[in-house]
Amino acid sequence: FFTFQRTVDTKKKQIELWKELLLSYSAHNKVFELKIDDTIYEKHVIFYNQKINRKLPLSSLKVILEELISQGVVEWKEKEKQTILVFWKTPQQWADSIYAWVNAKFSYHDINLSSIILKQYIGGEEWTKRKRVNLV
């Protein structure tokens, strides 16, 4: 697992497993950023197994990250490439989660009343003619 295999299919499977591990870890711990600089990477719980004293080589990590970047799962936070942003949910999944939460917490009447109050606060009917906002 820590050493890339030469067979292309096996290497693809390894990258997929690393992707699953990274996303699962990030979602479970609600992590959105991971520092990849040498000092933190060396002992990070994802990339280093202390029990067997094995770690993912930095060169392999870079290959994995480039693949995950191409899949849109992570991206570099800065030009120096020291920190990655982890997208363990797609924007659509976040939207669905927020929508489900709102539906669970509020009734339709509450949401409709909130949209009326918001319209009045922002500028009444004149504002709604310029820009339509649906909260439901």
Side-chain angles (χ1 to χ4, degrees):
F1 190 70
F2 288 97
T3 305
F4 272 157
Q5 301 300 306
R6 293 183 183 176
T7 309
V8 175
D9 290 339
T10 305
K11 188 174 181 180
K12 283 181 183 179
K13 181 64 176 168
Q14 280 181 293
I15 291 173
E16 190 60 31
L17 290 171
W18 276 107
K19 173 185 168 183
E20 290 173 20
L21 177 65
L22 179 64
L23 294 180
S24 296
Y25 171 85
S26 298
H28 178 75
N29 293 292
K30 296 183 175 33
V31 171
F32 297 94
E33 293 183 2
L34 278 177
K35 292 210 178 280
I36 305 297
D37 65 9
D38 295 337
T39 56
I40 294 174
Y41 154 77
E42 291 287 326
K43 299 291 180 184
H44 198 284
V45 67
I46 295 177
F47 310 116
Y48 176 68
N49 186 329
Q50 190 173 9
K51 289 181 182 177
I52 62 173
N53 197 26
R54 296 282 313 267
K55 66 181 175 185
L56 182 69
L58 190 56
S59 59
S60 297
L61 176 60
K62 289 181 180 183
V63 170
I64 292 168
L65 291 178
E66 291 308 316
E67 177 60 29
L68 299 185
I69 288 168
S70 73
Q71 294 178 18
V73 177
V74 301
E75 70 179 40
W76 291 112
K77 183 177 179 181
E78 69 286 295
K79 289 180 184 178
E80 297 79 27
K81 297 185 177 183
Q82 297 296 308
T83 307
I84 56 168
L85 300 173
V86 183
F87 308 121
W88 42 272
K89 279 190 179 185
T90 65
Q92 184 61 51
Q93 289 170 325
W94 278 112
D96 292 344
S97 295
I98 293 168
Y99 183 77
W101 178 81
V102 168
N103 281 333
K105 293 287 182 185
F106 304 101
S107 70
Y108 177 78
H109 175 73
D110 294 335
I111 295 171
N112 196 28
L113 181 60
S114 296
S115 66
I116 291 168
I117 292 169
L118 181 63
K119 279 191 245 180
Q120 291 172 346
Y121 177 77
I122 293 177
E125 291 301 317
E126 194 59 37
W127 179 82
T128 58
K129 289 178 186 173
R130 286 183 273 144
K131 187 172 185 177
R132 177 108 172 112
V133 175
N134 290 324
L135 295 178
V136 181

